Amino acid sequence: MADDSGVTAFTGDLPVKRPREEGVYEENNENGVSASTVSAEMNDSKEPDYISSVIPGWFSEISPMWPGEAHSLKVEKILFQGKSLYQNVMVFQSSTYGKVLVLDGVIQLTERDECAYQEMITHLPLCSITNPKKVLVIGGGDGGVLREVSRHSSVEQIDICEIDEMVVNVSKQFFPDVAVGFEDPRVNLHIGDGVAFLKAVSEGTYDAIIVDSSDPIGPAQELFEKPFFESVARALRPGGVVCTQAESIWLHMHIIEDIVSNCRQIFKGSVSYAWTTVPTYPSGVIGFMLCSTEGPPVDFKHPVNPIDASDNNQNNSKRPLKFYNSEIHSAAFCLPAFAKKVIDSKAK
């Protein structure tokens, strides 16, 4: 059944499927949820192929980005599956983390722990500068970053460029408490390529840019490359800030090392790395690269634009802050010794 946004929901149970090479089907298991081969492809029957074949009824996130390990969630029901112009999209109801959004077999958010990511990637940069007015979000089609940006009363304009319209529509249908960010009148939604969008932006347009990207494979790959960061720096005002998703210190230090190196060459203000815990992300943590352009100095470790309980119900934010506070802001920049050594070495 399709709604007005063109999103088709799948509400039935998913039949058990043998590994693809066998080419036959089994009956539903006792949970009414399938186990199929682990893959980022969708077959002609439109069954999601990234459900674990190891334990029936469980989703397992397997990727070359984290070889030799997988995080699994028990699936109650598949709610949606589709293939956009760019990627496979799935939503399922989990037993313990609520509804889950999956892109190309990789968990993007769950209802239970999305607050840790959305609040930190937004408030780490916006609470580090005074009076931000114009904010750009690259990616973030689920609307969660928009929801958090809308807490800041100084912000007058929120632009978002998301490449995949299906992600926006699916999020509005299945994650209304996240996608509520799209309802803010300050938000201007642009469906298109974030790299091209930034190139067309006038120099010095934004006070802050938040890059809410998926991993550096597929449609998000360009968002981790040096030319993109150069475009970001050009689009920021003097003393403007950027915060970008920057992978896991447990799994991707080689990627983080490259990001830090590129950013130290491009951004002449501050360059810092922060991290937070998100249980359903690979290794349970995710990092953020925070940079500022040359101009008024920015000390990311000490917030100057606090957001507190009085701001919690402002504008379209339907709920209080669940994760972010000023103490955890400063603590996010404290790195374990192995990561600190690598990141600090790039400052030399």
Side-chain angles (χ1 to χ4, degrees), residues 98-109:
K99 291 193 288 290
V100 181
L101 175 64
V102 180
L103 301 180
D104 276 346
V106 178
I107 292 173
Q108 302 301 304
L109 67 83

Side-chain angles (χ1 to χ4, degrees), residues 321-335:
L321 287 166
K322 291 183 178 180
F323 193 89
Y324 176 89
N325 57 48
S326 58
E327 291 83 8
I328 208 166
H329 180 123
S330 297
F333 295 91
C334 296
L335 302 175

